[in-house]
Short mmCIF file of all heavy atoms in Angstrom, two decimals:
data_model
loop_
_atom_site.label_atom_id
_atom_site.label_comp_id
_atom_site.label_asym_id
_atom_site.label_seq_id
_atom_site.Cartn_x
_atom_site.Cartn_y
_atom_site.Cartn_z
N LEU A 133 0.83 -1.19 0.02
CA LEU A 133 0.02 -0.03 -0.03
C LEU A 133 0.83 1.29 0.02
O LEU A 133 0.56 2.23 -0.65
CB LEU A 133 -0.93 0.01 1.20
CG LEU A 133 -2.06 -1.00 1.18
CD1 LEU A 133 -2.84 -1.00 2.52
CD2 LEU A 133 -2.98 -0.80 0.05
N GLY A 134 1.95 1.21 0.78
CA GLY A 134 2.93 2.33 0.81
C GLY A 134 3.48 2.65 -0.58
O GLY A 134 3.55 3.81 -1.00
N VAL A 135 3.94 1.61 -1.21
CA VAL A 135 4.50 1.68 -2.60
C VAL A 135 3.48 2.24 -3.60
O VAL A 135 3.70 3.15 -4.38
CB VAL A 135 5.22 0.39 -3.04
CG1 VAL A 135 5.54 0.48 -4.52
CG2 VAL A 135 6.36 0.01 -2.17
N ILE A 136 2.24 1.65 -3.53
CA ILE A 136 1.15 2.11 -4.47
C ILE A 136 0.95 3.61 -4.17
O ILE A 136 0.67 4.34 -5.10
CB ILE A 136 -0.09 1.26 -4.25
CG1 ILE A 136 0.15 -0.12 -4.77
CG2 ILE A 136 -1.28 1.92 -4.90
CD1 ILE A 136 -0.95 -1.16 -4.46
N GLY A 137 0.83 3.99 -2.91
CA GLY A 137 0.57 5.34 -2.61
C GLY A 137 1.63 6.29 -3.06
O GLY A 137 1.36 7.41 -3.61
N LEU A 138 2.95 5.89 -2.97
CA LEU A 138 3.96 6.75 -3.43
C LEU A 138 4.10 6.86 -4.91
O LEU A 138 4.45 7.90 -5.48
CB LEU A 138 5.31 6.29 -2.79
CG LEU A 138 5.44 6.62 -1.31
CD1 LEU A 138 6.73 5.90 -0.74
CD2 LEU A 138 5.43 8.10 -0.99
N LEU A 139 3.89 5.73 -5.60
CA LEU A 139 4.06 5.63 -7.03
C LEU A 139 2.77 5.85 -7.81
O LEU A 139 2.85 6.14 -9.02
CB LEU A 139 4.70 4.31 -7.43
CG LEU A 139 6.04 3.96 -6.81
CD1 LEU A 139 6.59 2.64 -7.25
CD2 LEU A 139 7.11 5.08 -7.16
N GLY A 140 1.59 5.62 -7.21
CA GLY A 140 0.35 5.74 -7.94
C GLY A 140 -0.28 7.03 -7.93
O GLY A 140 0.48 8.04 -7.73
N SER A 141 -1.47 7.09 -8.10
CA SER A 141 -2.25 8.34 -8.22
C SER A 141 -2.44 9.10 -6.91
O SER A 141 -2.76 10.28 -6.80
CB SER A 141 -3.64 8.07 -8.78
OG SER A 141 -4.41 7.38 -7.78
N GLY A 142 -2.17 8.33 -5.81
CA GLY A 142 -2.38 8.93 -4.51
C GLY A 142 -3.71 8.67 -3.80
O GLY A 142 -3.90 9.12 -2.70
N GLU A 143 -4.56 8.00 -4.53
CA GLU A 143 -5.90 7.72 -3.96
C GLU A 143 -6.08 6.25 -3.89
O GLU A 143 -5.86 5.53 -4.84
CB GLU A 143 -7.01 8.39 -4.70
CG GLU A 143 -8.29 8.15 -4.01
CD GLU A 143 -9.43 9.07 -4.52
OE1 GLU A 143 -9.15 10.26 -4.82
OE2 GLU A 143 -10.51 8.57 -4.73
N LEU A 144 -6.45 5.76 -2.72
CA LEU A 144 -6.75 4.31 -2.52
C LEU A 144 -7.83 4.10 -1.57
O LEU A 144 -7.89 4.77 -0.47
CB LEU A 144 -5.46 3.72 -1.94
CG LEU A 144 -5.44 2.11 -1.87
CD1 LEU A 144 -5.53 1.48 -3.21
CD2 LEU A 144 -4.18 1.74 -1.13
N LEU A 145 -8.87 3.38 -1.91
CA LEU A 145 -10.04 3.14 -1.11
C LEU A 145 -10.74 4.47 -0.75
O LEU A 145 -11.30 4.62 0.34
CB LEU A 145 -9.72 2.35 0.12
CG LEU A 145 -9.12 1.03 -0.04
CD1 LEU A 145 -8.78 0.34 1.31
CD2 LEU A 145 -10.08 0.03 -0.77
N GLY A 146 -10.70 5.42 -1.66
CA GLY A 146 -11.29 6.70 -1.37
C GLY A 146 -10.61 7.63 -0.49
O GLY A 146 -11.18 8.69 -0.07
N ALA A 147 -9.38 7.41 -0.21
CA ALA A 147 -8.56 8.22 0.69
C ALA A 147 -7.27 8.65 -0.03
O ALA A 147 -6.75 7.91 -0.79
CB ALA A 147 -8.25 7.54 2.02
N ASN A 148 -6.78 9.80 0.34
CA ASN A 148 -5.53 10.36 -0.13
C ASN A 148 -4.40 9.59 0.63
O ASN A 148 -4.26 9.77 1.91
CB ASN A 148 -5.49 11.85 0.07
CG ASN A 148 -4.17 12.44 -0.46
OD1 ASN A 148 -3.36 11.74 -1.00
ND2 ASN A 148 -3.98 13.69 -0.06
N VAL A 149 -3.61 8.91 -0.08
CA VAL A 149 -2.46 8.14 0.62
C VAL A 149 -1.14 8.56 0.02
O VAL A 149 -0.19 7.89 0.07
CB VAL A 149 -2.67 6.62 0.39
CG1 VAL A 149 -3.84 6.14 1.19
CG2 VAL A 149 -2.76 6.20 -1.03
N LYS A 150 -1.07 9.80 -0.40
CA LYS A 150 0.19 10.36 -0.95
C LYS A 150 1.05 10.79 0.20
O LYS A 150 0.54 11.02 1.33
CB LYS A 150 -0.03 11.58 -1.84
CG LYS A 150 -0.08 11.28 -3.33
CD LYS A 150 1.13 10.68 -3.84
CE LYS A 150 1.33 10.94 -5.31
NZ LYS A 150 2.17 9.94 -5.90
N GLY A 151 2.34 10.91 0.05
CA GLY A 151 3.24 11.53 0.96
C GLY A 151 3.39 10.81 2.37
O GLY A 151 3.70 9.60 2.38
N LEU A 152 3.09 11.53 3.43
CA LEU A 152 3.27 11.02 4.76
C LEU A 152 2.44 9.77 5.02
O LEU A 152 2.93 8.86 5.68
CB LEU A 152 2.95 12.06 5.79
CG LEU A 152 3.07 11.71 7.20
CD1 LEU A 152 4.56 11.40 7.55
CD2 LEU A 152 2.61 12.83 8.13
N HIS A 153 1.29 9.71 4.51
CA HIS A 153 0.39 8.52 4.70
C HIS A 153 1.10 7.32 4.17
O HIS A 153 1.16 6.26 4.82
CB HIS A 153 -0.92 8.74 4.04
CG HIS A 153 -2.05 7.95 4.52
ND1 HIS A 153 -3.37 8.19 4.31
CD2 HIS A 153 -2.06 6.79 5.19
CE1 HIS A 153 -4.17 7.34 4.89
NE2 HIS A 153 -3.40 6.43 5.37
N SER A 154 1.66 7.43 2.99
CA SER A 154 2.33 6.28 2.39
C SER A 154 3.65 5.91 3.13
O SER A 154 3.95 4.69 3.27
CB SER A 154 2.70 6.54 0.95
OG SER A 154 1.51 6.65 0.17
N ILE A 155 4.30 6.92 3.62
CA ILE A 155 5.53 6.64 4.38
C ILE A 155 5.20 5.93 5.70
O ILE A 155 5.88 5.00 6.13
CB ILE A 155 6.27 7.95 4.62
CG1 ILE A 155 6.81 8.42 3.33
CG2 ILE A 155 7.43 7.75 5.67
CD1 ILE A 155 7.42 9.86 3.40
N ILE A 156 4.10 6.31 6.36
CA ILE A 156 3.62 5.61 7.51
C ILE A 156 3.32 4.14 7.24
O ILE A 156 3.64 3.25 8.00
CB ILE A 156 2.40 6.35 8.18
CG1 ILE A 156 2.84 7.65 8.71
CG2 ILE A 156 1.75 5.47 9.28
CD1 ILE A 156 1.71 8.62 9.19
N HIS A 157 2.60 3.90 6.09
CA HIS A 157 2.39 2.58 5.67
C HIS A 157 3.65 1.73 5.48
O HIS A 157 3.85 0.64 5.91
CB HIS A 157 1.57 2.45 4.45
CG HIS A 157 0.10 2.76 4.64
ND1 HIS A 157 -0.75 3.17 3.64
CD2 HIS A 157 -0.69 2.67 5.75
CE1 HIS A 157 -1.90 3.31 4.03
NE2 HIS A 157 -1.95 3.06 5.35
N LEU A 158 4.64 2.34 4.78
CA LEU A 158 5.87 1.70 4.52
C LEU A 158 6.67 1.35 5.89
O LEU A 158 7.15 0.19 6.01
CB LEU A 158 6.82 2.53 3.69
CG LEU A 158 6.47 2.56 2.19
CD1 LEU A 158 7.35 3.59 1.44
CD2 LEU A 158 6.73 1.14 1.61
N VAL A 159 6.72 2.27 6.72
CA VAL A 159 7.50 2.06 7.95
C VAL A 159 6.81 1.07 8.83
O VAL A 159 7.39 0.16 9.37
CB VAL A 159 7.62 3.41 8.74
CG1 VAL A 159 8.20 3.19 10.14
CG2 VAL A 159 8.56 4.38 8.01
N SER A 160 5.48 1.15 8.97
CA SER A 160 4.71 0.19 9.70
C SER A 160 4.87 -1.24 9.08
O SER A 160 5.04 -2.20 9.81
CB SER A 160 3.19 0.54 9.70
OG SER A 160 2.98 1.79 10.28
N GLY A 161 4.82 -1.31 7.77
CA GLY A 161 4.98 -2.58 7.07
C GLY A 161 6.32 -3.21 7.31
O GLY A 161 6.47 -4.36 7.56
N ILE A 162 7.32 -2.41 7.26
CA ILE A 162 8.73 -2.88 7.43
C ILE A 162 8.86 -3.41 8.84
O ILE A 162 9.44 -4.47 9.06
CB ILE A 162 9.76 -1.75 7.06
CG1 ILE A 162 9.70 -1.56 5.56
CG2 ILE A 162 11.12 -2.12 7.60
CD1 ILE A 162 10.49 -0.30 5.13
N ILE A 163 8.36 -2.68 9.78
CA ILE A 163 8.48 -3.20 11.18
C ILE A 163 7.74 -4.44 11.39
O ILE A 163 8.30 -5.40 11.92
CB ILE A 163 7.92 -2.04 12.18
CG1 ILE A 163 8.81 -0.88 12.18
CG2 ILE A 163 7.77 -2.66 13.57
CD1 ILE A 163 8.20 0.32 12.94
N LEU A 164 6.54 -4.62 10.87
CA LEU A 164 5.76 -5.78 11.03
C LEU A 164 6.36 -6.94 10.26
O LEU A 164 6.49 -8.13 10.78
CB LEU A 164 4.33 -5.60 10.55
CG LEU A 164 3.35 -4.89 11.50
CD1 LEU A 164 2.04 -4.55 10.82
CD2 LEU A 164 3.23 -5.62 12.80
N VAL A 165 6.88 -6.74 9.06
CA VAL A 165 7.58 -7.78 8.31
C VAL A 165 8.84 -8.32 9.09
O VAL A 165 9.03 -9.45 9.19
CB VAL A 165 7.95 -7.33 6.94
CG1 VAL A 165 8.99 -8.20 6.24
CG2 VAL A 165 6.68 -7.30 6.02
N TYR A 166 9.61 -7.40 9.65
CA TYR A 166 10.73 -7.79 10.46
C TYR A 166 10.35 -8.69 11.57
O TYR A 166 10.91 -9.64 11.78
CB TYR A 166 11.49 -6.47 10.87
CG TYR A 166 12.64 -6.81 11.85
CD1 TYR A 166 13.81 -7.28 11.42
CD2 TYR A 166 12.41 -6.72 13.24
CE1 TYR A 166 14.85 -7.64 12.25
CE2 TYR A 166 13.46 -7.05 14.13
CZ TYR A 166 14.59 -7.53 13.61
OH TYR A 166 15.64 -7.95 14.51
N LEU A 167 9.33 -8.16 12.31
CA LEU A 167 8.87 -9.02 13.50
C LEU A 167 8.38 -10.37 12.98
O LEU A 167 8.69 -11.40 13.60
CB LEU A 167 7.76 -8.20 14.22
CG LEU A 167 8.12 -6.98 14.85
CD1 LEU A 167 6.92 -6.29 15.54
CD2 LEU A 167 9.23 -7.10 15.91
N GLY A 168 7.52 -10.38 12.00
CA GLY A 168 6.95 -11.57 11.54
C GLY A 168 7.97 -12.64 10.97
O GLY A 168 7.81 -13.77 11.21
#
């Protein structure tokens, strides 16, 4: 979702996911993947 938000149109599921929103997704995802 973070990659889609940064590289895509910026809208996903009716929400703006550009910029900080996408970065939050990326950081959260990386942390969870590391733990998992």
